[in-house]
Amino acid sequence: MADILDQKIIHPLKLFNIATNEKRLLYTSAPMVRYSKLAFRQTVFEYGTDLCWTPMILAKEFNRNQFARNSDFTVSTTGPQPPTIVQFGANVPQELARASSLVAPFTSGVDLNCGCPQSWACAATMGAALMEKRELVRDMVTTTREQLRQDGWDVGLDKDMESSKGRSVSVKIRVHKDLRKTMDFIETVIGGPSREHRNVDFLTIHPRTRQTPSSTPINVESLEILTSTYGDRVPILLSGDVFTLNALPFSSPLLSPNPTFTTSSEVPETGTETIPRRLNIPKLAGLMSARAILANPALYAGYDACPWEAVEAFLNNVARAPLPFKLTLHHLSEMCAPGMAASDKTALLNKQERSEMMRCENMIDLIDFLDEKREIKRRRRREGDIAG
Ligand SMILES: Cc1cc2nc3c(=O)[nH]c(=O)nc-3n(C[C@H](O)[C@H](O)[C@H](O)COP(=O)(O)O)c2cc1C
């Protein structure tokens, strides 16, 4: 415990600043129920992720149940301890404040999930249902900020970014079909007229509505409007379709080289031809990846497909920060399959090999299986090189 409390915790706003000074976007990995646990966070951190999210944790259960606390949130006592945001699902200000108070010594900040579309969450007025409850969301973040301040944490936004006691409070949202509702929501939740007087340190926007399936591309136009309206008042992260750094559906001065991909927005030009228009999003501060980083934890290090080394790094991290064996297998089946990047659909294992892997019954079998497959592929590559 003393070890972890001694580790210097870095303020997320400082990370935003470092990324901007390096003329790039901030790289973050998304909250993913079931998946974004410590061993995975450590793996993506090794491959260039600046800031990691835990899966959503239900604040009420976390506050009341020691078992929930032990199983939902793990930190490393021996490092590496990636800069981490703990995400909560909550609908009562005091519940979010209390849960945040419990995790604050071990984390860079806390985040409220206003995006989960699942029916059970919405029925309990959590997740995306909160997009219709802007005053409640504002009350949850202000109560939490006040609780952390009373506990002795520095929650003074940019002015506290150098403090080792600095902590952030943020929210992750979806958009409404009518973007004016999203703007009303953001106005209410960030509050204050200026950057110095806001209620949230930063905002993550997933530009899909509660009803939009994840197979539908994100709405880049709404992201452009929201970032140009609010990007000077609050740092904004994009969650959605961050599949590879080389093929984002927009351009930004903080992306170099800029992607070659285009959006669905096409402006009619002369004659029958249309010239695809790529929207520029200069006020976006960072990226958050979910499905793509699950398949390829090395995404931010510039890999378009998962390398074997990332599999090895993940297994090493699992050995130190164990995950249930079935969950480890699920992670590996994601990492060994074709990823989300359209430019590179190579897979470490083919479909048949992946089914074979899923039949492994323990870690020893699994490690032997992967070692053997990797060695066979290495040998084939060498033979191919010689033949070629
Ligand atoms: C397996 C999985 C679990 C998720 N769990 C959460 C969660 O706990 N909290 C949350 O805010 N979003 C959650 N999401 C949504 C993602 O954080 C993200 O907003 C969404 O998948 C869009 O990003 P992508 O296109 O990079 O996948 C989850 C997504 C996936 C695929």
Side-chain angles (χ1 to χ4, degrees):
M1 176 72 85
D3 286 353
I4 174 71
L5 290 175
D6 286 346
Q7 283 180 32
K8 190 166 168 356
I9 285 180
I10 193 158
H11 197 298
L13 292 177
K14 170 127 184 162
L15 294 170
F16 275 99
N17 240 16
I18 293 172
T20 309
N21 288 339
E22 290 175 357
K23 299 201 176 354
R24 64 173 177 88
L25 294 163
L26 186 79
Y27 301 147
T28 77
S29 75
M32 281 180 278
V33 159
R34 206 159 167 233
Y35 288 106
S36 55
K37 296 198 173 252
L38 180 61
F40 180 74
R41 298 197 298 268
Q42 289 175 323
T43 309
V44 298
F45 180 61
E46 280 176 49
Y47 283 93
T49 302
D50 299 302
L51 185 59
C52 305
W53 262 245
T54 67
M56 175 178 76
I57 297 171
L58 296 175
K60 193 170 168 191
E61 275 62 36
F62 195 77
N63 290 335
R64 284 170 182 62
N65 188 327
Q66 179 70 45
F67 182 75
R69 285 195 287 280
N70 288 342
S71 65
D72 284 353
F73 181 47
T74 319
V75 289
S76 167
T77 49
T78 52
Q81 173 59 35
T84 302
I85 301 288
V86 177
Q87 190 192 58
F88 288 111
N91 55 15
V92 176
Q94 287 72 21
E95 296 286 5
L96 181 64
R98 175 84 191 112
S100 302
S101 188
L102 290 171
V103 299
F106 314 103
T107 184
S108 294
V110 292
D111 187 71
L112 176 65
N113 182 345
C114 302
C116 179
Q118 289 190 23
S119 48
W120 67 265
C122 293
T125 329
M126 284 195 284
L130 291 173
M131 294 305 298
E132 308 303 325
K133 303 266 175 202
R134 57 197 162 111
E135 283 91 3
L136 174 61
V137 172
R138 179 203 52 211
D139 293 348
M140 282 199 268
V141 296
T142 52
T143 305
T144 299
R145 193 172 279 288
E146 180 53 23
Q147 176 70 55
L148 293 179
R149 196 186 61 73
Q150 282 177 20
D151 290 349
W153 302 107
D154 291 333
V155 286
L157 307 161
D158 304 78
K159 81 172 171 49
D160 284 334
M161 74 167 85
E162 297 296 338
S163 164
S164 61
K165 298 194 111 195
R167 298 293 185 269
S168 66
V169 179
S170 56
V171 295
K172 177 168 180 277
I173 67 170
R174 284 190 179 238
V175 295
H176 302 86
K177 206 167 168 195
D178 178 354
L179 205 61
R180 282 171 304 183
K181 285 181 80 179
T182 315
M183 296 174 98
D184 288 345
F185 178 97
I186 296 177
E187 281 291 351
T188 305
V189 171
I190 64 176
S194 63
R195 193 175 165 107
E196 294 76 49
H197 298 100
R198 61 191 198 268
N199 295 325
V200 288
D201 289 73
F202 59 89
L203 191 64
T204 305
I205 300 178
H206 179 188
R208 290 190 176 98
T209 70
R210 178 173 158 179
Q211 285 80 25
T212 319
S214 54
S215 50
T216 303
I218 56 162
N219 186 333
V220 184
E221 287 81 1
S222 67
L223 181 69
E224 196 276 325
I225 293 168
L226 296 175
T227 51
S228 58
T229 312
Y230 298 106
D232 285 331
R233 280 167 63 189
V234 61
I236 296 175
L237 290 170
L238 160 68
S239 167
D241 294 357
V242 176
F243 294 156
T244 143
L245 287 179
N246 304 321
L248 291 163
F250 57 88
S251 65
S252 157
L254 298 178
L255 275 172
S256 85
N258 257 299
T260 48
F261 192 81
T262 52
T263 75
S264 54
S265 21
E266 296 184 330
V267 281
E269 274 289 308
T270 49
T272 52
E273 280 194 6
T274 58
I275 300 206
R277 181 165 63 101
R278 195 192 315 144
L279 278 178
N280 191 31
I281 318 264
K283 302 249 167 101
L284 182 70
L287 304 171
M288 173 183 274
S289 178
R291 287 166 296 164
I293 205 163
L294 197 58
N296 173 19
L299 182 154
Y300 291 126
Y303 292 85
D304 282 355
C306 184
W308 276 111
E309 292 72 23
V311 170
E312 199 175 302
F314 174 67
L315 285 170
N316 285 339
N317 289 326
V318 171
R320 285 194 301 261
L323 293 176
F325 180 65
K326 287 279 173 215
L327 178 56
T328 305
L329 274 181
H330 276 286
H331 267 288
L332 290 166
S333 72
E334 291 280 345
M335 289 165 72
C336 294
M340 302 292 292
S343 58
D344 191 344
K345 287 285 178 198
T346 50
L348 295 177
L349 299 177
N350 64 32
K351 204 166 172 196
Q352 194 191 330
E353 291 168 326
R354 294 199 299 277
S355 330
E356 213 182 312
M357 176 175 74
M358 296 308 277
R359 288 197 290 274
C360 288
E361 286 184 351
N362 56 51
M363 276 305 265
I364 313 261
D365 285 356
L366 177 62
I367 290 168
D368 285 349
F369 173 84
L370 288 170
D371 279 349
E372 188 191 321
K373 292 290 169 213
R374 190 177 176 182
E375 189 45 43
I376 292 171
K377 279 161 208 281
R378 243 190 221 140
R379 208 177 316 133
R380 280 202 198 125
R381 217 177 25 243
R382 270 199 307 266
E383 285 163 6
D385 283 349
I386 291 165

